[in-house]
Amino acid sequence: MFSALARITFRTQLAYRSQLWALLFSGFIGVVARVSIWSAVYGGPGEVAGVTLTEMITYAIIGGTVLSSWDATQVVREVGTLIRSGDIAAHLLRPFHYPIALLAEQVGIRLFNLLLVALPVTLVSMLVYGIVPPASPAHALIFLGLVAISVLIIFATGIIFALLSFWVLDVLTLEWFMRGMLAVFSGGLVPLWFFPPVLAQFVGALPFAYITYYPMAAYLGVESVGDTALMLLGGVAWVVALSAFIAWLWSRLTHRLVVQGG
Amino acid sequence: MLQTLPVLWHLARLKARTNLEYRSGLVIAWVAQAFGYAGVYAAIWIITSRFERLGGWVWPEIALMLGFHVFAYALGACFTLVQLRGMDELVRRGGFDALLVRPIHPWLYLVFSGFNIEYGGHFALGLLLMFWAMPLLDVTWSLPLVLQFVGSIISAALLTGALLTMLGASAMVLGRSRYLFGIYFDFWEIARYPLTIFAPALQLVLLTVVPLAFMAYVPVAVILDKPVPLLGGWAWLATLLAGPVVALLAAFYWRACEGRYQSGGG
C-alpha cells in the first residue's frame, strides 16, 4: 500500500512537464543565489570558522537541493484544505492510517524531486562551481542515513503543522509560521557554525537542524566519525519522538471530528 | 472612466469588509506572514553579523533594502497577486468569459474586487525595518531625496503589479500560468540581496529582462549614494521610470493576450 501510494504520487508529478522545467530552473536559481552569497562574503580563498569557501559552496549546493525543505509547506496546505472543507472524513473511511498514507504520498513527491530536480541541479552545479567529496567513506555512509532522517523530519514537521490546522483552521497562518521557523532553524541558508554561539546551541538541540545542517556537517566531516554517528542516533530519536507526537495528535483529532451532512 | 471609479471603490470596500469579518484571524495571519519573512531576514542578519558586509553592504543598509523590498512588494501585490495568480483557474473553468461580458474592464474588476488587505504584516515589517535602519545610516534627507524615495516606492509597487499582471495575462494564451509565478518569486527572492554579489550576466538580467533589481537594490543604492552597476549616474531616473514603463508594457501585453484569447471552458 505504502509503495503504491508513493508510486502514484511520483507518476502524478511526472504528468506536469512545464512544472518540472520550472522546478529545475528554480533549483538552479536558488543555487546561484546561495553560491553568490558565500562567494561574496568570503571574497576569496581562506577559512572562516574552520570552513573553506569550496566547502561552503558544497553546503549551498547539496543543502539547497537534496536537503531543501520547501516541499514541507505543500503538505500543510493540502491537508489544511482537506480539514477545512471536511473532505478529511473521506480519508477516515479508507483502509489505512491517514498520517502513514500522507507520508507515502510525500515520499513519492520527494523521490520525484530528488531524482528529476535535485540530482540534475546538483550535477550541473557541481560542473559549474565544483564541490568537495565527503570527508571519508564512513562520513558518507552516515550522511546517507541523515538524508533519510532529514526527509522524515521534514514531513513529520509538515504533518504536525497540517494536523494543527484542525484546531487553528487557517492553514496559511501555520504555513507561514513553519516557513519562518525552518528558514533559520533548518540551517538551510546559514549553517549553525556561523550562528552566535548561544543561538547555535539552542537551534542545534531542535529537530529542525536535522533537515539540512546535521547531514551537511556529516558530509563535510565537521565532527569525528564517532560524534557524527551520535548525530545520526539523535536524529533517529527525534523521528521516533515526532512520530509518537503525530500519532497522539491524530488520535485527538479523530476523537474531536464531527461530520455534518453527507 | 469617472463612472467606473465609484464601482471600483465599492468593490474594493466589499472585499476589505469581507476580510474584516474575521478580525482576529486577519491579525494572526499578518503576524504569521511577518514571522515568515523575519525568519529569512534573521538568516541574512546572521551572515552579515558574522562577515560584517555582504556585497559591500552593512546590516543597516541591507535592513533598509529588505524593508523597502517587502513594503513596495506588498503595495503592488495587495492589488494583484492573489487575483492574477488565479487567472489560469478562471480561464480553465470559463469564469474569465463571464468577466469579459461585464460593463467594466476585466483587469479592473479582478484587481479591485480582489483587493487584499492581508498584507498588514508585510507593511508593518517593512516600516519597522526602514525606520530602524534610517537613523543608523548616513543619509542627509532633503526634499528631492524624500520625493525620490516615495517615487521609487511607488515605482517598485507598479513594477510588482505590472509583472504579476503579465504573468496572469499569460494564462489567456498558455492556459496554465501558475508555474510562471514560481519563477517570478525565484528572481524576487534574489532581488533581496545587493546586486553586486551576482555575476555580471545575472546583474544585466535583473536590470533588463526581469527588472527586479528596481524592487529594492537600485532605489536604496540611490538613497545611500552607492554606485549602481551599468546604470551609474542614471540610476535615480531609471528607478523612477522602471515601474511606469513596465506598467505600460503590461497594459499592451494584456491587450495582446486578450486579443488571442479563446475561451477555455464554460
Side-chain angles (χ1 to χ4, degrees):
Chain A
M1 184 73 82
F2 190 94
S3 68
L5 278 170
R7 224 173 28 243
I8 289 165
T9 43
F10 185 96
R11 290 173 68 176
T12 310
Q13 295 291 308
L14 259 183
Y16 300 108
R17 296 289 158 90
S18 52
Q19 184 178 301
L20 174 63
W21 286 111
L23 286 174
L24 280 167
F25 187 76
S26 293
F28 197 66
I29 287 283
V31 166
V32 168
R34 284 155 193 256
V35 171
S36 302
I37 292 170
W38 297 117
S39 303
V41 291
Y42 267 77
E47 287 188 356
V48 180
V51 182
T52 64
L53 174 59
T54 326
E55 285 173 330
M56 265 324 297
I57 287 176
T58 309
Y59 190 104
I61 292 174
I62 301 177
T65 53
V66 178
L67 298 163
S68 93
S69 63
W70 72 267
D71 34 9
T73 54
Q74 207 176 331
V75 65
V76 180
R77 217 171 312 153
E78 280 173 15
V79 179
T81 312
L82 282 181
I83 289 176
R84 195 168 191 161
S85 66
D87 291 343
I88 188 93
H91 289 274
L92 294 171
L93 301 172
R94 293 183 180 161
F96 46 70
H97 200 246
Y98 183 58
I100 293 178
L102 263 182
L103 179 68
E105 286 171 8
Q106 294 304 315
V107 165
I109 295 172
R110 190 67 178 184
L111 269 179
F112 168 86
N113 280 319
L114 190 68
L115 296 176
L116 296 172
V117 182
L119 287 183
V121 173
T122 306
L123 285 174
V124 173
S125 309
M126 267 167 64
L127 292 173
V128 176
Y129 298 110
I131 63 168
V132 293
S136 72
H139 281 102
L141 266 178
I142 300 173
F143 165 74
L144 289 178
L146 281 166
V147 170
I149 298 288
S150 163
V151 172
L152 292 172
I153 288 190
I154 289 172
F155 294 122
T157 312
I159 290 169
I160 288 170
F161 271 88
L163 296 184
L164 284 178
S165 69
F166 184 78
W167 287 273
V168 180
L169 278 183
D170 187 6
V171 67
L172 278 176
T173 301
L174 288 166
E175 189 192 319
W176 278 98
F177 269 122
M178 191 174 83
R179 253 194 231 195
M181 219 175 62
L182 293 188
V184 187
F185 294 168
S186 70
L189 187 58
V190 188
L192 266 58
W193 53 71
F194 290 141
F195 278 46
V198 180
L199 190 61
Q201 222 168 1
F202 170 71
V203 175
L206 298 174
F208 314 113
Y210 280 93
I211 293 174
T212 310
Y213 172 70
Y214 282 126
M216 284 316 297
Y219 182 98
L220 296 171
V222 173
E223 304 283 350
S224 65
V225 174
D227 286 346
T228 313
L230 280 177
M231 271 181 205
L232 182 64
L233 277 180
V236 173
W238 269 119
V239 169
V240 173
L242 293 176
S243 308
F245 185 58
I246 290 171
W248 177 76
L249 264 184
W250 180 246
S251 74
R252 298 267 304 161
L253 188 153
T254 45
H255 277 105
R256 271 182 66 117
L257 190 69
V258 177
V259 180
Q260 294 181 15
Chain B
M1 184 64 195
L2 279 176
Q3 286 169 324
T4 316
L5 282 175
V7 180
L8 299 179
W9 170 244
H10 185 67
L11 285 170
R13 265 188 62 199
L14 268 181
K15 180 68 183 7
R17 283 177 67 180
T18 314
N19 281 139
L20 285 169
E21 279 299 306
Y22 306 98
R23 278 170 209 226
S24 51
L26 183 67
V27 173
I28 294 170
W30 287 352
V31 174
Q33 295 193 13
F35 183 82
Y37 281 95
V40 180
Y41 297 169
I44 299 173
W45 168 75
I46 291 169
I47 298 173
T48 49
S49 68
R50 182 75 197 212
F51 292 88
E52 288 180 9
R53 279 170 191 275
L54 175 59
W57 289 48
V58 293
W59 170 244
E61 292 168 338
I62 291 176
L64 178 63
M65 188 168 71
L66 293 173
F68 188 100
H69 185 270
V70 72
F71 187 90
Y73 162 73
L75 202 55
C78 65
F79 285 100
T80 44
L81 177 69
V82 177
Q83 298 90 313
L84 290 153
R85 200 174 48 189
M87 266 292 282
D88 54 359
E89 198 63 18
L90 264 182
V91 167
R92 205 163 50 245
R93 289 174 179 249
F96 190 67
D97 297 354
L99 292 188
L100 285 172
V101 294
R102 286 188 189 184
I104 192 168
H105 192 280
W107 183 83
L108 286 175
Y109 180 84
L110 267 176
V111 160
F112 285 92
S113 66
F115 175 65
N116 192 349
I117 60 165
E118 289 181 357
Y119 287 92
H122 292 66
F123 288 123
L125 184 66
L127 286 174
L128 192 76
L129 279 167
M130 288 194 282
F131 281 120
W132 174 82
M134 274 173 188
L136 302 174
L137 297 166
D138 189 23
V139 180
T140 316
W141 291 98
S142 59
L143 185 63
L145 199 62
V146 171
L147 290 176
Q148 170 79 32
F149 188 73
V150 174
S152 42
I153 283 192
I154 294 169
S155 177
L158 271 176
L159 181 69
T160 302
L163 290 173
L164 294 174
T165 294
M166 287 164 104
L167 298 180
S170 303
M172 288 187 254
V173 181
L174 301 173
R176 280 175 72 97
S177 64
R178 210 161 234 256
Y179 66 95
L180 295 175
F181 285 83
I183 295 174
Y184 166 81
F185 279 107
D186 292 326
F187 282 105
W188 177 87
E189 276 179 18
I190 64 175
R192 294 196 278 218
Y193 299 99
L195 192 68
T196 41
I197 70 169
F198 301 114
L202 187 54
Q203 290 182 12
L204 187 66
V205 168
L206 288 167
L207 286 167
T208 53
V209 191
V210 191
L212 286 170
F214 295 102
M215 267 308 293
Y217 170 76
V218 181
V220 175
V222 169
I223 298 297
L224 297 174
D225 202 19
K226 283 177 169 287
V228 177
L230 299 168
L231 295 174
W234 293 100
W236 70 273
L237 185 61
T239 199
L240 292 177
L241 289 179
V245 168
V246 180
L248 208 62
L249 283 175
F252 284 122
Y253 185 74
W254 179 279
R255 194 172 291 182
C257 289
E258 219 175 51
R260 292 187 59 188
Y261 172 67
Q262 290 176 318
S263 177

